[in-house]
Amino acid sequence: MQKPFNFEAQKTLDILSAGAFLTTRSEGRLNTMTISWGAIGIMWGKPVFAAMVRASRFTHGLIEAAGEFTVSLPSQDMQKALGLCGSASGRDIDKFEAAKLKPAPSAKIKTPRIDCKGTHYECITLVKADMTPQNAADEVKKTWYQDNDYHTFYFGEIVNTEIVD
Ligand SMILES: Cc1cc2nc3c(=O)[nH]c(=O)nc-3n(C[C@H](O)[C@H](O)[C@H](O)COP(=O)(O)O)c2cc1C
């Protein structure tokens, strides 16, 4: 039986928690931001990556409009670029230029991936869900959302996985 994923779970989660790139493009505007939270699993009978994007991010508007995104989990040292893409906003600068990143075409969606060694997921949003003060536990609100900048979850079907060695 063909397996929907091609990864070792712990290794993938270790890379994600150190930082991955969430890339979006809408109306010709390409942007990437660093993520370290997310989930990978089977949902609605499909392989899914769930990304969490706060409403304040430039990425939020792009991912809403595009309905798709890529996630690049680097296997080479990208700490400098991850630091920049996790602190600067695409509203203010072109992060590809600033971090010397290159886009590479995806196989199944229009949004490109980052041109680097690692695992790349091409995702089409199946479901999105807004976090609200009503649906979060007090402890979570107190720790993470004192500024009311809640995440939206984007559950993307992984329509293609590319591994670049
Ligand atoms: C290691 C790391 C992980 C991050 N993870 C997330 C995340 O999962 N979701 C999120 O909304 N922001 C996350 N951020 C913050 C965004 O990357 C940051 O606000 C970025 O500047 C947003 O870019 P944008 O405005 O171009 O979308 C993270 C930052 C770092 C440094």
Side-chain angles (χ1 to χ4, degrees):
M1 190 182 109
Q2 205 188 344
K3 294 188 177 163
F5 299 109
N6 186 355
F7 70 88
E8 193 202 312
Q10 190 59 55
K11 202 170 137 200
T12 302
L13 295 177
D14 286 347
I15 294 172
L16 177 62
S17 58
F21 297 97
L22 172 66
T23 303
T24 46
R25 181 165 71 185
S26 172
E27 291 174 9
R29 187 67 173 86
L30 176 65
N31 188 49
T32 192
M33 78 169 216
T34 303
I35 58 168
S36 60
W37 290 0
I40 304 172
I42 302 291
M43 300 174 211
W44 309 286
K46 296 168 188 287
V48 164
F49 187 95
M52 300 171 69
V53 182
R54 290 190 196 254
S56 64
R57 311 299 188 222
F58 183 56
T59 297
H60 197 271
L62 297 181
I63 199 172
E64 287 279 320
E68 60 173 49
F69 57 93
T70 63
V71 175
S72 296
L73 298 151
S75 61
Q76 63 183 88
D77 181 10
M78 305 281 283
Q79 280 314 304
K80 219 169 148 195
L82 287 164
L84 190 145
C85 296
S87 52
S89 176
R91 271 190 206 98
D92 307 317
I93 59 163
D94 177 341
K95 287 193 256 181
F96 277 82
E97 200 182 299
K100 296 190 173 63
L101 292 170
K102 283 193 197 136
S106 291
K108 298 243 173 98
I109 64 174
K110 288 186 202 141
T111 309
R113 59 173 176 82
I114 301 293
D115 186 9
C116 68
K117 290 182 184 172
T119 301
H120 306 268
Y121 296 125
E122 300 173 19
C123 303
I124 296 178
T125 305
L126 287 175
V127 172
K128 70 165 191 169
D130 290 322
M131 279 189 73
T132 66
Q134 290 72 39
N135 66 21
D138 285 343
E139 184 210 327
V140 169
K141 283 189 275 195
K142 217 164 66 189
T143 311
W144 299 103
Y145 301 101
Q146 285 192 357
D147 55 1
N148 267 315
D149 189 10
Y150 282 88
H151 283 99
T152 302
F153 289 86
Y154 295 92
F155 296 91
E157 177 183 358
I158 301 172
V159 293
N160 190 47
T161 300
E162 191 152 348
I163 295 171
V164 181
D165 293 317

